[in-house]
Amino acid sequence: QVQLVESGGGLVQPGGSLRLSCAASGSILRIYTMAWYRQAPGKQRELVALITSEGRTNLADSVKGRFTISRDNAKNTVYLQMNSLKPEDTAVYYCNAGVDTRYTLRGDYWGQGTQVTVSS
């Protein structure tokens, strides 16, 4: 019903920047909060940043001042601008969204994940 497709991951040196994108498609009537999570090897998945449909944002303390989340409602897309990257930011980053479709209200959807590796 709904597909979330992430892009923009890759290998970057410490101090570098990356911009992740996540585009939602399918039988979408409304998208509520969109978020980015990450999961490093051997660790639990953690919330990195979220943005509501009204544009209110919340970021994890570990990324405040370095990461910015934004969204383009016309394109059903959420972005994560990551600056001053550190090796500890290395993880698989997942997009998440709450979505109304013609079949499901407030369904919870996930992307397939994109790898971000910060290493010299």
Side-chain angles (χ1 to χ4, degrees), residues 37-46 86-94 114-118:
Y37 287 76
R38 67 185 180 187
Q39 187 167 19
K43 295 187 176 181
Q44 290 187 333
R45 190 172 297 188
E46 63 175 355
K86 304 176 181 180
E88 50 264 43
D89 295 317
T90 296
V92 178
Y93 284 70
Y94 297 91
T114 185
Q115 177 71 45
V116 171
T117 302
V118 185

Side-chain angles (χ1 to χ4, degrees), residues 3-119:
Q3 297 80 41
L4 300 180
V5 179
E6 300 112 333
S7 61
L11 173 64
V12 64
Q13 293 186 343
S17 298
L18 284 175
R19 188 193 194 207
L20 305 183
S21 299
C22 171
S25 63
S27 304
I28 297 169
L29 297 179
R30 179 177 179 180
I31 301 178
Y32 296 92
T33 296
M34 303 184 81
W36 289 96
Y37 287 76
R38 67 185 180 187
Q39 187 167 19
K43 295 187 176 181
Q44 290 187 333
R45 190 172 297 188
E46 63 175 355
L47 176 65
V48 176
L50 63 83
I51 183 167
T52 69
S53 56
E54 296 82 13
R56 291 190 295 270
T57 63
N58 192 19
L59 286 87
D61 288 343
S62 59
V63 306
K64 283 181 180 177
R66 301 188 298 121
F67 291 10
T68 303
I69 188 170
S70 60
R71 66 190 283 173
D72 184 334
N73 291 329
K75 296 181 179 180
N76 291 338
T77 299
V78 63
Y79 306 96
L80 186 68
Q81 177 66 44
M82 306 185 294
N83 299 327
S84 302
L85 282 160
K86 304 176 181 180
E88 50 264 43
D89 295 317
T90 296
V92 178
Y93 284 70
Y94 297 91
C95 176
N96 172 263
V99 181
D100 282 349
T101 72
R102 64 181 66 186
Y103 309 108
T104 304
L105 295 179
R106 292 190 177 267
D108 189 46
Y109 296 92
W110 292 87
Q112 81 285 355
T114 185
Q115 177 71 45
V116 171
T117 302
V118 185
S119 175

